[in-house]
Amino acid sequence: MKYKIVLKKTGEGYSVSCPVLTGCWSQGITEQEAIDNIKDAIQQYLAAVSESLKDADVREVEVGV
């Protein structure tokens, strides 16, 4: 799956977030490190969401953009 990320240069390196996953962000000294770190953060975020929905009635809907 692909997710859009936002990279911002900071005084310490790079800050990176995934806007569609509220609160999912990371950082890195280099741009590549930040990208690698956000990939890990996205995987952990999705695993936590999946765990929290384990016994829920989950359905999918299709939305046109």
Side-chain angles (χ1 to χ4, degrees), residues 2-17:
K2 292 185 180 183
Y3 290 90
K4 290 184 181 182
I5 60 170
V6 177
L7 278 163
K8 293 183 182 177
K9 182 102 169 98
T10 68
E12 294 85 34
Y14 290 86
S15 171
V16 61
S17 64

Side-chain angles (χ1 to χ4, degrees), residues 33-44:
E33 183 181 34
I35 291 170
D36 291 341
N37 290 343
I38 196 65
K39 287 179 182 180
D40 289 339
I42 290 169
Q43 289 175 331
Q44 291 175 23

Side-chain angles (χ1 to χ4, degrees), residues 22-46:
T22 304
C24 187
W25 67 274
S26 193
Q27 59 188 10
I29 295 172
T30 65
E31 184 176 321
Q32 188 58 53
E33 183 181 34
I35 291 170
D36 291 341
N37 290 343
I38 196 65
K39 287 179 182 180
D40 289 339
I42 290 169
Q43 289 175 331
Q44 291 175 23
Y45 186 105
L46 295 175

